[in-house]
Amino acid sequence: MPILELKNVSKIYGSLRALSDINLSVNAGDWLSIMGPSGSGKTTMINIIGCMDTPSTGSVILDGVDISKENAANLTRIRRDKIGLIFQQFHLISYLTAVENVMIAQYYHSMPDEAEAMEALEKVGLRERAHHLPAQLSGGEQQRVCIARALINSPQILLGDEPTGNLDEENEGIVVDIFRRLHDEGVTIIIVTHDPEVGDVAQRKIILEHGKVIQDIDQSATFGEALKLKSKG
Protein backbone atom coordinates (compact mmCIF):
# COMPACT_ATOMS: atom_id res chain seq x y z
CA MET A 1 0.00 0.00 0.00
CA PRO A 2 1.36 3.48 -0.81
CA ILE A 3 2.57 5.56 2.11
CA LEU A 4 1.23 8.71 0.40
CA GLU A 5 -1.54 9.33 -2.13
CA LEU A 6 -2.85 12.57 -3.58
CA LYS A 7 -6.23 12.06 -5.21
CA ASN A 8 -7.62 14.83 -7.42
CA VAL A 9 -5.96 17.46 -5.24
CA SER A 10 -6.53 21.10 -6.15
CA LYS A 11 -5.56 24.28 -4.31
CA ILE A 12 -7.29 27.53 -5.17
CA TYR A 13 -6.43 31.00 -3.87
CA GLY A 14 -9.15 33.37 -5.07
CA SER A 15 -8.86 33.32 -8.85
CA LEU A 16 -5.47 31.52 -8.78
CA ARG A 17 -5.47 27.76 -9.23
CA ALA A 18 -2.12 26.79 -7.70
CA LEU A 19 -2.73 23.03 -8.09
CA SER A 20 -5.21 21.38 -10.42
CA ASP A 21 -6.44 17.78 -10.00
CA ILE A 22 -3.11 16.31 -8.87
CA ASN A 23 -2.90 12.54 -8.61
CA LEU A 24 0.25 11.06 -7.14
CA SER A 25 1.13 7.80 -5.40
CA VAL A 26 4.33 7.31 -3.40
CA ASN A 27 5.49 3.98 -1.96
CA ALA A 28 7.54 3.64 1.20
CA GLY A 29 11.22 3.98 0.36
CA ASP A 30 10.68 5.96 -2.85
CA TRP A 31 12.87 8.95 -3.70
CA LEU A 32 11.07 11.65 -5.72
CA SER A 33 12.14 15.00 -7.07
CA ILE A 34 9.48 17.61 -7.84
CA MET A 35 10.52 20.13 -10.49
CA GLY A 36 9.04 22.87 -12.61
CA PRO A 37 9.29 26.61 -13.24
CA SER A 38 8.54 29.21 -10.59
CA GLY A 39 4.80 29.39 -9.97
CA SER A 40 4.19 25.81 -11.13
CA GLY A 41 2.84 24.71 -7.73
CA LYS A 42 5.88 22.90 -6.28
CA THR A 43 5.91 24.62 -2.90
CA THR A 44 2.12 24.42 -2.63
CA MET A 45 2.33 20.67 -3.16
CA ILE A 46 5.10 20.21 -0.58
CA ASN A 47 3.15 22.33 1.93
CA ILE A 48 0.10 20.10 1.51
CA ILE A 49 2.13 16.89 1.78
CA GLY A 50 3.91 18.33 4.83
CA CYS A 51 0.65 19.16 6.65
CA MET A 52 1.36 22.90 6.50
CA ASP A 53 -1.67 23.52 4.26
CA THR A 54 -4.80 21.69 3.14
CA PRO A 55 -6.22 21.18 -0.35
CA SER A 56 -9.29 23.06 -1.57
CA THR A 57 -10.59 19.81 -3.06
CA GLY A 58 -9.41 16.21 -3.20
CA SER A 59 -7.85 13.87 -0.66
CA VAL A 60 -4.38 13.37 0.78
CA ILE A 61 -3.88 9.90 2.27
CA LEU A 62 -0.81 9.66 4.52
CA ASP A 63 -0.07 6.25 6.01
CA GLY A 64 -3.67 5.20 5.46
CA VAL A 65 -5.24 8.33 6.99
CA ASP A 66 -7.00 11.08 5.02
CA ILE A 67 -5.30 14.21 6.36
CA SER A 68 -7.07 16.63 4.02
CA LYS A 69 -9.95 17.20 6.44
CA GLU A 70 -7.91 17.42 9.66
CA ASN A 71 -7.89 20.58 11.76
CA ALA A 72 -4.76 22.63 12.45
CA ALA A 73 -4.01 20.93 15.78
CA ASN A 74 -4.18 17.45 14.28
CA LEU A 75 -2.08 18.51 11.29
CA THR A 76 0.58 19.79 13.68
CA ARG A 77 0.60 16.44 15.48
CA ILE A 78 0.76 14.46 12.22
CA ARG A 79 3.59 16.65 10.92
CA ARG A 80 5.49 16.23 14.20
CA ASP A 81 5.09 12.44 14.19
CA LYS A 82 5.38 11.52 10.52
CA ILE A 83 7.18 14.27 8.55
CA GLY A 84 10.75 15.54 8.58
CA LEU A 85 11.16 18.97 6.98
CA ILE A 86 14.26 20.54 5.39
CA PHE A 87 14.12 24.04 3.93
CA GLN A 88 16.37 26.21 1.78
CA GLN A 89 16.66 28.62 4.71
CA PHE A 90 18.16 26.79 7.66
CA HIS A 91 15.90 28.15 10.46
CA LEU A 92 18.45 27.31 13.16
CA ILE A 93 18.27 29.11 16.52
CA SER A 94 21.35 31.32 16.63
CA TYR A 95 22.09 31.03 20.35
CA LEU A 96 21.78 27.21 20.47
CA THR A 97 24.54 24.79 19.52
CA ALA A 98 24.13 22.26 16.72
CA VAL A 99 23.15 19.47 19.12
CA GLU A 100 20.73 21.76 20.96
CA ASN A 101 19.08 22.72 17.66
CA VAL A 102 18.54 19.03 16.95
CA MET A 103 17.18 18.44 20.47
CA ILE A 104 14.56 21.18 19.96
CA ALA A 105 12.76 18.86 17.54
CA GLN A 106 12.77 16.13 20.19
CA TYR A 107 11.24 18.50 22.72
CA TYR A 108 8.09 18.89 20.63
CA HIS A 109 7.85 15.15 20.01
CA SER A 110 8.79 13.43 23.25
CA MET A 111 11.76 14.10 25.52
CA PRO A 112 15.11 15.66 24.54
CA ASP A 113 17.88 13.06 24.47
CA GLU A 114 21.38 14.39 23.84
CA ALA A 115 22.78 10.95 23.05
CA GLU A 116 20.20 10.45 20.29
CA ALA A 117 20.83 13.97 18.96
CA MET A 118 24.56 13.24 18.84
CA GLU A 119 23.85 10.05 16.89
CA ALA A 120 21.81 12.05 14.39
CA LEU A 121 24.68 14.52 13.97
CA GLU A 122 27.10 11.64 13.53
CA LYS A 123 24.89 10.29 10.76
CA VAL A 124 25.44 13.55 8.82
CA GLY A 125 29.13 13.72 9.70
CA LEU A 126 28.94 16.53 12.29
CA ARG A 127 29.62 14.87 15.63
CA GLU A 128 32.81 16.92 16.07
CA ARG A 129 30.87 20.15 15.41
CA ALA A 130 28.01 19.37 17.81
CA HIS A 131 28.83 22.14 20.29
CA HIS A 132 29.35 24.91 17.74
CA LEU A 133 26.82 27.71 17.22
CA PRO A 134 25.28 28.18 13.75
CA ALA A 135 27.48 31.24 13.12
CA GLN A 136 30.51 28.98 13.60
CA LEU A 137 29.33 26.54 10.95
CA SER A 138 29.53 26.76 7.17
CA GLY A 139 26.35 26.85 5.09
CA GLY A 140 26.79 23.19 4.21
CA GLU A 141 27.27 22.25 7.85
CA GLN A 142 24.17 24.21 8.87
CA GLN A 143 22.11 22.36 6.29
CA ARG A 144 23.42 19.05 7.61
CA VAL A 145 22.28 20.10 11.11
CA CYS A 146 18.85 20.71 9.57
CA ILE A 147 18.86 17.20 8.10
CA ALA A 148 19.80 15.73 11.50
CA ARG A 149 16.99 17.76 13.09
CA ALA A 150 14.52 16.48 10.49
CA LEU A 151 15.56 12.88 11.12
CA ILE A 152 15.67 12.87 14.92
CA ASN A 153 12.07 11.70 15.37
CA SER A 154 12.31 8.92 12.72
CA PRO A 155 9.82 10.44 10.25
CA GLN A 156 8.08 8.30 7.65
CA ILE A 157 8.69 10.91 4.96
CA LEU A 158 11.59 13.34 4.58
CA LEU A 159 10.51 16.49 2.69
CA GLY A 160 12.93 19.05 1.29
CA ASP A 161 12.02 22.42 -0.25
CA GLU A 162 15.13 23.45 -2.22
CA PRO A 163 17.43 21.89 0.41
CA THR A 164 20.55 22.48 -1.71
CA GLY A 165 19.51 25.89 -3.03
CA ASN A 166 21.97 27.85 -0.84
CA LEU A 167 24.88 25.42 -1.15
CA ASP A 168 27.95 25.37 -3.34
CA GLU A 169 28.64 22.37 -5.56
CA GLU A 170 30.84 20.56 -3.02
CA ASN A 171 28.31 20.82 -0.19
CA GLU A 172 25.47 19.96 -2.55
CA GLY A 173 27.29 16.72 -3.32
CA ILE A 174 27.71 16.01 0.41
CA VAL A 175 23.98 16.55 1.04
CA VAL A 176 22.99 14.37 -1.93
CA ASP A 177 25.26 11.63 -0.59
CA ILE A 178 23.49 11.87 2.79
CA PHE A 179 20.16 11.48 0.99
CA ARG A 180 21.57 8.41 -0.78
CA ARG A 181 22.53 6.79 2.52
CA LEU A 182 19.12 7.62 4.03
CA HIS A 183 17.40 6.15 0.99
CA ASP A 184 19.49 2.97 1.40
CA GLU A 185 18.12 2.78 4.97
CA GLY A 186 14.55 2.89 3.63
CA VAL A 187 13.67 6.56 4.21
CA THR A 188 11.04 7.97 1.84
CA ILE A 189 12.40 11.19 0.32
CA ILE A 190 10.54 13.92 -1.60
CA ILE A 191 12.61 16.90 -2.73
CA VAL A 192 11.53 20.10 -4.48
CA THR A 193 14.41 21.47 -6.53
CA HIS A 194 15.26 23.80 -9.40
CA ASP A 195 18.62 22.07 -9.88
CA PRO A 196 18.43 19.53 -12.74
CA GLU A 197 21.41 17.61 -11.35
CA VAL A 198 19.70 17.14 -7.97
CA GLY A 199 16.47 16.25 -9.75
CA ASP A 200 18.24 13.64 -11.87
CA VAL A 201 19.50 11.60 -8.89
CA ALA A 202 16.00 10.70 -7.69
CA GLN A 203 14.24 7.49 -8.72
CA ARG A 204 11.26 9.47 -10.02
CA LYS A 205 11.03 12.99 -11.35
CA ILE A 206 7.67 14.79 -11.18
CA ILE A 207 7.42 17.80 -13.49
CA LEU A 208 4.78 20.43 -12.69
CA GLU A 209 3.56 23.20 -14.95
CA HIS A 210 0.68 25.59 -14.22
CA GLY A 211 -0.36 23.46 -11.24
CA LYS A 212 -0.54 20.20 -13.17
CA VAL A 213 1.68 17.13 -13.39
CA ILE A 214 2.88 17.09 -16.99
CA GLN A 215 5.47 14.33 -16.57
CA ASP A 216 6.10 11.50 -14.11
CA ILE A 217 9.47 10.08 -15.14
CA ASP A 218 10.83 6.76 -13.90
CA GLN A 219 14.60 7.22 -13.52
CA SER A 220 15.31 3.84 -11.95
CA ALA A 221 17.49 2.72 -14.85
CA THR A 222 19.99 5.58 -14.35
CA PHE A 223 19.41 6.10 -10.61
CA GLY A 224 22.58 4.49 -9.24
CA GLU A 225 24.91 5.99 -11.84
CA ALA A 226 23.54 9.50 -11.39
CA LEU A 227 24.08 9.24 -7.65
CA LYS A 228 27.70 8.18 -8.09
CA LEU A 229 28.42 11.09 -10.39
CA LYS A 230 26.72 13.65 -8.13
CA SER A 231 28.26 12.44 -4.88
CA LYS A 232 31.72 12.67 -6.46
CA GLY A 233 30.94 16.31 -7.23
Side-chain angles (χ1 to χ4, degrees), residues 11-48:
K11 184 64 179 182
I12 303 167
Y13 300 98
S15 61
L16 173 64
R17 199 173 185 88
L19 292 177
S20 183
D21 294 321
I22 298 290
N23 289 283
L24 181 69
S25 180
V26 180
N27 291 321
D30 281 354
W31 182 349
L32 275 69
S33 62
I34 300 175
M35 303 189 71
S38 296
S40 60
K42 303 185 302 298
T43 296
T44 301
M45 181 185 286
I46 214 80
N47 285 345
I48 288 174

Side-chain angles (χ1 to χ4, degrees), residues 154-200:
S154 302
Q156 292 179 306
I157 299 178
L158 186 65
L159 294 182
D161 191 357
E162 300 285 358
T164 62
N166 283 333
L167 304 182
D168 58 27
E169 186 174 359
E170 179 181 357
N171 280 298
E172 181 180 284
I174 292 170
V175 168
V176 167
D177 192 56
I178 291 170
F179 289 155
R180 176 193 61 77
R181 288 188 278 112
L182 294 172
H183 175 262
D184 288 345
E185 295 171 8
V187 177
T188 305
I189 302 172
I190 303 176
I191 301 294
V192 164
T193 182
H194 277 101
D195 187 331
E197 292 188 16
V198 175
D200 285 346

